[in-house]
Amino acid sequence: MSNTPMAASPLTRAVLEIDEYASGLGWDQPARLFALVDTARLRTQEPSLAAQLGLDEERETTGLTPIEQDEVPTDRALDEFLATIAWPDAVAGCALTVERLMLPPSAEAQVPQDLGEAQLAKWVAEHPERQEVRMTVAVLRDGARESALRLREKDSATEVLTGSDLVPGLAEALAATFED
């Protein structure tokens, strides 16, 4: 992708590519799951798929190619869905992009302790300091992690925050999809 920094690691580039793709779809989108495959291996083992993805013309020989998977079900909890996933050996990693409401750390002390899950979600949705965020989190089989966060109010490629431990719970859930 044109906005993806070439100096970044292959995992960071993949996360930013997925973030840019999700950004092009707009906000209020469902969660999206991606397999991350080694680009060179994909070209060798699946040349027709590589050609479909436009990878046969690229010069770069290293990197990860995100391949979007079937829709993430909306009728079950995300962690329950992720617990059902097992990846074939050809998949080097996986990534998920999901939108959530987020509160700043300063609001944590205000959270009522006696609310159920639905009541808490409603309380957060009505909080004046809430922010909509798109999180893209990726993990590799070897344990490497990367995340990208994009706030709706600062919806620009130059405002995307990246880091390996921005969404540790989601990274753990994705890493668990590679455990036997």
Side-chain angles (χ1 to χ4, degrees):
M1 289 280 164
S2 58
N3 292 332
T4 306
M6 292 313 296
S9 74
L11 185 57
T12 302
R13 287 195 309 267
V15 165
L16 290 172
E17 182 178 334
I18 293 167
D19 172 75
E20 187 174 337
Y21 167 75
S23 176
L25 298 172
W27 286 87
D28 304 318
Q29 296 292 314
R32 295 179 185 278
L33 181 67
F34 299 82
L36 300 176
V37 296
D38 178 270
T39 303
R41 184 175 176 184
L42 178 64
R43 281 192 196 118
T44 302
Q45 294 180 350
E46 298 286 342
S48 62
L49 178 57
Q52 272 185 308
L53 296 172
L55 300 174
D56 56 342
E57 299 171 8
E58 288 186 18
R59 293 182 194 168
E60 188 177 340
T61 57
T62 62
L64 296 165
T65 299
I67 300 175
E68 188 169 1
Q69 304 299 292
D70 292 334
E71 288 185 23
V72 175
T74 56
D75 61 341
R76 60 197 292 199
L78 189 56
D79 58 341
E80 290 175 13
F81 167 69
L82 291 175
T84 67
I85 296 175
W87 298 102
D89 291 339
V91 174
C94 66
L96 183 81
T97 184
V98 64
E99 296 175 14
R100 292 291 186 255
L101 291 177
M102 182 176 79
L103 293 176
S106 60
E108 287 182 25
Q110 303 170 13
V111 177
Q113 299 302 313
D114 58 341
L115 299 180
E117 191 172 322
Q119 293 170 314
L120 179 60
K122 184 176 190 270
W123 185 85
V124 170
E126 294 172 351
H127 195 281
E129 294 179 74
R130 76 186 177 285
Q131 299 218 0
E132 291 178 74
V133 63
R134 181 182 302 118
M135 303 175 285
T136 303
V137 179
V139 300
L140 296 180
R141 284 184 187 274
D142 68 8
R145 299 171 177 199
E146 188 61 70
S147 306
L149 297 180
R150 182 186 292 247
L151 295 175
R152 189 171 191 157
E153 73 176 26
K154 295 182 179 184
D155 192 2
S156 163
T158 61
E159 296 287 339
V160 175
L161 178 65
T162 60
S164 61
D165 205 24
L166 298 177
V167 192
L170 186 51
E172 286 294 324
L174 290 172
T177 66
F178 291 103
E179 295 173 1
D180 291 331

